[in-house]
Amino acid sequence: MAGFSSLLTCNLRKNFTLNEIHKPGDVVLGGLFEVHYTSVLPERAFTSEPQQPLCKGFDTLGFRHAMTMAFAIDEINKKINLLPNVTLGYRIYDNCGALVVGFSGALSLASGTDEQFKLLENCSGTPPVLGIVGDHYSTFSIAIANVLGLYKMPLVSYFATCSCLSDRQRYPTFFRTIPSDAFQVRAMVKILKHFGWTWVGLLVSDDDYGLHVAQSFQSDLARSGDGCLAYLKVLPWNSDQSELTQIVHLIKASTARVVIVFAHEIHMIQLMEEVVRQNVTGRQWIASETWTTAVVLQVPHLMPYLSGTLGIAIRRGEIPGLRDFLSQIKPVKNSSGNDLVRQFWEHTFKCKFDGAGSVETEKPLCTGMENIDAVQTEFLDLSNLRPEYNVYKAVYSLAYALHDMLKCQSESGPFSCATLSTLEPWQLAHYLQKVNFTTPFGDQVSFDKNGDALPIYDVMNWLWLPDGKTKVQNVGEVKSAGSGGEELYIDVDKIFWNTESKQPPQSVCSESCPPGTRVARRKGEPECCFSCVSCSEGKISNTTNSLECITCPEDFWSNSRRDLCVPKKTEFLSYHEPLGICLTTTSLLGTFICTVVLAIFAFHRRSPIVRANNSELSFLLLVALKLCFLCSLLFIGQPRLWTCQLRHAVFGISFVLCISCILVKTMVVLAVFKASEPGGGGNLKWFGPKQQRGTVFSLTCIQAAICAAWLVSSSPAPRKNTQYHNDKIVYECEVGSTIGFAVILGYIGMLAILSFFLAFLARNLPNNFNEAKLITFSMLIFCAVWMAFVPAYINSPGRYADAVEVFAILASSFGLLVPLFGPKCYIILLKPEKNTKKAIMGR
């Protein structure tokens, strides 16, 4: 491979005569710049006679880049603390915008020229330069770095951004002072995310620069998850009009309002001419660093379309003394080593030198004494130094590396220290990797393991001024963050937007799904194109573009907008609702009536009607009824553990106490009736006051024992029931043991049926014992109420089950209170003449 490169070097060098500028020195640095846009190569490039390519389109800014390198070397030579006693020289070639020309120049720099070096027959020998600054294009740098890697010669580019050049295996001696496209792409993605642009188009040039950017952009955009490409098109080099027409038509038809272009100025000129022809407006253009500051595009007929452009630009810098250096440049007559300066002079002053080869004989002769300050040229406009600043840093990087190499100590270096006569390019590459210095502008310069400089870009915006001029203003910056990401700062208020609203445009395939909805992907379309589906009940999404809805916690439910989980509504028989108020009022009314009746009976306790049929049982029955009315209050309000445990126990014991008193009363009536018959007097001894109290106590204790066993074995407890309503929590008491609850009700029912049966048997007794009829009627009501209660209770959900039970308790309590005590109170209060023993024992 080395032999092939040497042979190729000789052939190219012997057949091309290159435009150059050179200055001798102890150590010579090479430079490759695009001073001409394009060139026409000789038909027979490889002949025995050297030929010069015809370079066309003088690039004033490209020449300024080359002169910046000359200035930096001149400035370094004047420093006493950097490379003292060493004079740097330079040899700068023009690549004429052609790879073969730039490649020839690089090989000449690496292998030497006949005029300066005596070479062996195989073109081998000591390299005349230790390092090269350049090239301008990524494609050129890739080709050159491949070959210079064989020489182990460092190549420091100021403008090649292809991320592929960070491959240390393929390009071991390549460095650059401009961030790679990998960082530029990440910076672009950061800007898209900042403005919420998720649907964009991408145009790239048909070269290594564009194709690598396309690959990197697609992967980074997909990895970020913040956007999609509406289209990706490659801009042709050959200005194929039909292809350009198709591309611009696609831009016009697409719903993407943001168009990102990674291409060169020539591509943009061709593209924008077609954009103007098709009148494609309303697009936000995003520029790569190659054309962000391109003056050739800032023309009046393009600005209605390009105004408001956002772009990433190379970091602007200040180079003190550069203007004075540039203004002092003068052509040297009859000097073959500075022909680029002569060409610049002819281009600037529209003149020609004798023997300069100009075919335009009508031009005046150049004297070389023209005043460059008197003409209007961008050559001296240093307000926007960007590539020049990178050239400046590249030259200083080589100088600092050389300085460190010459002052090394053998004990500490990785190899024997070099002298001026024994310098080798590979040694310089080693020290270049460790360079770390700060420019006068305050920027730190160093290289990472891949040869990339510390990344930083300016964010630019094209402002179309009222006078028709264009101002490219700095609106922010993006740089590498300490955490490994990118840090973006943009002054949004400073940006000029080319929209009617003067606000950032919207560029999305689908509008963002608001909270309360989720993203539903469309089959066969990019992930940025989706539909919004509302979350189902019980689920929410509280962020924009949620991929799924979140299920609310157990005691929460979604609100109407489905963007917030709110506590579920609670349902129970409350004191504050009309039904609860009505039942509570009825319960208190029954309690009050019992209290009044008890007071009446207590006041008239010696009256015959009260003393008849055991007044003690009557008082006990009234107390029991009062407890029945009050126990219904335990069923109202939010269930608690103690209310759940007490409600059925108190209910069961209270009603057993009532039914026991009624049962004993009925039995006493029958016993008295039997005792009035001949030979039945002995029956009354079994129904004395003690026996009556004992029977009531015993029957009640049985119910108390059942309740105690139920509470101990499987106690009722409150529970949250969500089976009735998903969005409500129904608080209810779980009975625990259904068997225990059934036994309690069954025991009450058994006593009630027995009382009804006995009272029914006594219904036809003489009128002086007519209380049996009242008992029969009350027990009929009681049994009817509770027989209707069971099916109603089972089929009533939630709080209505409690309401049914309370209603049954109140209805049965009133069914006992009114028939049993209503007639007696009527006689006591309204018919006192009947409240006599004679009246009671009468008919």
Side-chain angles (χ1 to χ4, degrees):
M1 183 67 184
F4 170 75
S5 63
S6 298
L7 177 60
L8 180 62
T9 301
C10 287
N11 286 333
L12 287 174
R13 178 173 45 79
K14 291 177 180 178
N15 288 279
F16 281 135
T17 301
L18 304 175
N19 292 324
E20 66 172 304
I21 309 173
H22 70 262
K23 180 180 180 180
D26 299 329
V27 177
V28 178
L29 300 180
L32 295 171
F33 297 91
E34 185 191 59
V35 184
H36 288 85
Y37 291 122
T38 185
S39 62
V40 178
L41 300 178
E43 293 183 4
R44 300 179 62 189
F46 297 95
T47 64
S48 58
E49 295 297 328
Q51 301 181 58
Q52 182 172 6
L54 180 60
C55 299
K56 294 183 177 182
F58 192 88
D59 185 357
T60 302
L61 295 181
F63 180 70
R64 190 169 73 184
H65 300 164
M67 288 298 96
T68 302
M69 177 177 177
F71 164 76
I73 290 178
D74 184 69
E75 186 179 64
I76 291 169
N77 288 334
K78 295 177 182 179
K79 292 181 178 292
I80 59 174
N81 59 344
L82 181 60
L83 292 176
N85 303 320
V86 176
T87 300
L88 289 180
Y90 55 81
R91 180 167 292 273
I92 299 173
Y93 286 131
D94 174 16
N95 66 23
C96 295
L99 174 58
V100 65
V101 178
F103 194 67
S104 175
L107 293 176
S108 295
L109 292 172
S111 297
T113 60
D114 290 337
E115 293 80 359
Q116 288 187 309
F117 293 89
K118 184 177 180 180
L119 302 175
L120 302 178
E121 290 298 326
N122 61 358
C123 293
S124 63
T126 304
V129 298
L130 284 181
I132 298 176
V133 176
D135 196 305
H136 183 87
Y137 294 110
S138 292
T139 299
F140 293 12
S141 295
I142 290 171
I144 295 169
N146 264 314
V147 174
L148 292 187
L150 303 175
Y151 291 92
K152 295 183 173 56
M153 178 174 289
L155 175 67
V156 186
S157 177
Y158 62 94
F159 212 73
T161 59
C162 181
S163 57
C164 59
L165 288 165
S166 298
D167 187 351
R168 266 291 182 254
Q169 297 296 322
R170 294 182 59 188
Y171 313 106
T173 60
F174 178 81
F175 299 84
R176 53 183 158 196
T177 53
I178 185 173
S180 75
D181 284 333
F183 178 78
Q184 184 177 190
V185 165
R186 294 196 300 271
M188 288 282 196
V189 173
K190 197 82 173 179
I191 292 175
L192 296 180
K193 182 178 180 180
H194 181 82
F195 291 106
W197 294 329
T198 59
W199 188 236
V200 299
L202 177 63
L203 305 178
V204 298
S205 57
D206 189 10
D207 55 11
D208 293 294
Y209 166 69
L211 298 179
H212 278 89
V213 161
Q215 182 180 3
S216 178
F217 193 91
Q218 289 183 91
S219 61
D220 281 15
L221 190 62
R223 190 182 304 114
S224 70
D226 294 320
C228 306
L229 284 181
Y231 53 84
L232 168 60
K233 288 295 180 180
V234 179
L235 297 174
W237 275 100
N238 56 3
S239 65
D240 186 340
Q241 190 59 41
S242 62
E243 192 170 351
L244 283 174
T245 301
Q246 293 178 1
I247 292 174
V248 174
H249 179 73
L250 176 61
I251 296 173
K252 187 175 183 179
S254 175
T255 56
R257 292 292 176 265
V258 174
V259 184
I260 304 172
V261 184
F262 283 88
H264 307 285
E265 293 180 13
I266 184 64
H267 293 103
M268 282 302 300
I269 293 172
Q270 298 168 356
L271 176 67
M272 292 311 300
E273 291 298 336
E274 182 62 24
V275 167
V276 173
R277 192 184 71 81
Q278 295 192 28
N279 192 29
V280 182
T281 59
R283 297 299 183 271
Q284 176 65 50
W285 296 90
I286 307 293
S288 67
E289 96 291 339
T290 53
W291 65 276
T292 294
T293 58
V295 179
V296 68
L297 294 170
Q298 300 168 18
V299 291
H301 77 283
L302 295 183
M303 287 313 296
Y305 306 90
L306 285 177
S307 62
T309 294
L310 282 177
I312 288 180
I314 302 169
R315 174 74 166 173
R316 188 189 70 84
E318 297 287 345
I319 307 178
L322 178 60
R323 194 185 192 285
D324 294 338
F325 177 84
L326 297 179
S327 62
Q328 294 171 7
I329 293 176
K330 297 290 182 181
V332 179
K333 291 185 178 182
N334 301 322
S335 173
S336 60
N338 291 290
D339 45 1
L340 286 179
V341 178
R342 293 162 60 87
Q343 294 173 27
F344 162 71
W345 209 260
E346 289 181 339
H347 173 77
T348 303
F349 294 102
K350 304 295 185 291
C351 62
K352 69 178 183 65
F353 288 96
D354 287 337
S358 174
V359 295
E360 301 179 10
T361 56
E362 68 276 6
K363 287 184 178 180
L365 291 176
C366 299
T367 64
M369 301 305 295
E370 289 84 0
N371 184 9
I372 196 172
D373 291 316
V375 296
Q376 185 176 359
T377 173
E378 59 183 343
F379 183 69
L380 296 179
D381 181 10
L382 307 184
S383 61
N384 199 29
L385 294 178
R386 297 184 186 276
E388 295 84 356
Y389 189 48
N390 282 348
V391 172
Y392 184 79
K393 292 188 289 185
V395 174
Y396 265 88
S397 298
L398 289 168
Y400 273 102
L402 180 60
H403 179 82
D404 293 340
M405 184 170 66
L406 291 176
K407 72 173 186 178
C408 80
Q409 298 178 358
S410 300
E411 298 78 15
S412 59
F415 40 76
S416 299
C417 291
T419 62
L420 282 176
S421 60
T422 61
L423 293 176
E424 294 289 342
W426 62 270
Q427 296 173 321
L428 184 64
H430 171 79
Y431 282 95
L432 190 60
Q433 186 69 61
K434 299 182 178 181
V435 159
N436 193 335
F437 65 94
T438 303
T439 68
F441 191 59
D443 289 332
Q444 182 182 1
V445 179
S446 62
F447 301 102
D448 63 14
K449 63 181 180 179
N450 297 319
D452 295 328
L454 295 176
I456 184 170
Y457 274 117
D458 290 336
V459 180
M460 311 302 292
N461 176 234
W462 288 23
L463 174 62
W464 194 15
L465 301 174
D467 60 2
K469 295 181 180 180
T470 302
K471 177 184 178 182
V472 181
Q473 58 178 351
N474 190 325
V475 294
E477 69 176 19
V478 57
K479 59 184 178 180
S480 178
S483 59
E486 296 75 40
E487 182 178 318
L488 174 66
Y489 164 74
I490 291 185
D491 187 354
V492 179
D493 297 333
K494 194 177 179 182
I495 297 177
F496 169 76
W497 301 105
N498 190 20
T499 58
E500 293 182 1
S501 64
K502 302 304 177 185
Q503 296 296 319
Q506 297 295 315
S507 187
V508 294
C509 181
S510 300
E511 292 294 333
S512 298
C513 290
T517 62
R518 65 173 178 84
V519 172
R521 303 294 183 197
R522 298 176 187 168
K523 187 176 181 180
E525 296 187 31
E527 62 178 15
C528 295
C529 301
F530 49 81
S531 300
C532 298
V533 179
S534 296
C535 294
S536 57
E537 290 187 349
K539 295 184 177 182
I540 66 155
S541 64
N542 52 12
T543 58
T544 303
N545 290 337
S546 296
L547 296 179
E548 61 180 357
C549 297
I550 306 170
T551 303
C552 289
E554 181 181 1
D555 292 342
F556 290 82
W557 195 251
S558 56
N559 61 358
S560 59
R561 296 188 302 272
R562 305 286 197 273
D563 60 355
L564 183 66
C565 286
V566 296
K568 288 182 178 180
K569 296 178 181 179
T570 57
E571 182 179 284
F572 54 87
L573 189 57
S574 171
Y575 289 106
H576 305 290
E577 61 176 310
L579 181 59
I581 294 173
C582 183
L583 293 176
T584 301
T585 303
T586 305
S587 173
L588 295 177
L589 177 62
T591 305
F592 176 73
I593 293 174
C594 287
T595 305
V596 171
V597 172
L598 186 62
I600 292 173
F601 270 49
F603 186 77
H604 299 279
R605 62 185 177 277
R606 300 190 182 278
S607 63
I609 200 166
V610 174
R611 297 182 62 187
N613 198 6
N614 196 341
S615 61
E616 185 179 346
L617 287 179
S618 297
F619 284 110
L620 186 58
L621 178 58
L622 284 171
V623 173
L625 284 173
K626 191 173 183 179
L627 290 177
C628 289
F629 282 113
L630 290 176
C631 79
S632 63
L633 298 178
L634 295 173
F635 292 83
I636 304 175
Q638 182 174 340
R640 309 288 183 185
L641 178 60
W642 65 273
T643 58
C644 289
Q645 291 175 336
L646 285 179
R647 58 167 60 174
H648 289 108
V650 174
F651 151 74
I653 294 172
S654 299
F655 271 93
V656 165
L657 182 59
C658 285
I659 303 303
S660 299
C661 292
I662 294 173
L663 177 60
V664 171
K665 273 180 168 286
T666 307
M667 294 171 65
V668 170
V669 170
L670 288 173
V672 171
F673 176 72
K674 293 293 183 181
S676 63
E677 296 178 350
N683 293 326
L684 288 176
K685 66 179 181 179
W686 300 105
F687 294 96
K690 291 184 180 181
Q691 286 78 6
Q692 295 176 28
R693 288 194 293 268
T695 302
V696 171
F697 179 75
S698 299
L699 294 175
T700 305
C701 285
I702 293 174
Q703 182 74 311
I706 295 173
C707 291
W710 179 33
L711 294 177
V712 172
S713 61
S714 182
S715 175
R719 73 162 180 167
K720 301 174 181 178
N721 192 334
T722 57
Q723 296 177 355
Y724 303 128
H725 307 283
N726 289 328
D727 59 340
K728 291 182 180 179
I729 297 176
V730 178
Y731 286 98
E732 59 185 15
C733 285
E734 192 174 25
V735 295
S737 173
T738 306
I739 296 176
F741 183 52
V743 170
I744 290 176
L745 293 179
Y747 185 65
I748 296 174
M750 181 191 70
L751 295 180
I753 292 173
L754 180 60
S755 298
F756 174 75
F757 179 72
L758 295 178
F760 182 77
L761 293 179
R763 71 187 186 283
N764 293 323
L765 295 179
N767 287 340
N768 47 340
F769 298 105
N770 62 0
E771 190 175 20
K773 292 182 179 181
L774 301 178
I775 293 175
T776 302
F777 182 66
S778 65
M779 295 312 299
L780 182 63
I781 296 175
F782 183 87
C783 292
V785 168
W786 286 100
M787 286 177 66
F789 159 77
V790 175
Y793 181 82
I794 294 174
N795 292 285
S796 298
R799 62 195 178 108
Y800 296 106
D802 291 335
V804 167
E805 191 166 359
V806 172
F807 178 80
I809 292 173
L810 296 178
S812 58
S813 298
F814 276 110
L816 296 177
L817 176 65
V818 175
L820 293 177
F821 294 96
K824 295 180 180 180
C825 290
Y826 174 77
I827 293 174
I828 294 173
L829 298 178
L830 301 179
K831 299 291 183 178
E833 66 276 8
K834 293 183 178 182
N835 191 8
T836 60
K837 186 175 181 180
K838 182 179 179 181
I840 293 174
M841 299 299 294
R843 301 173 297 176

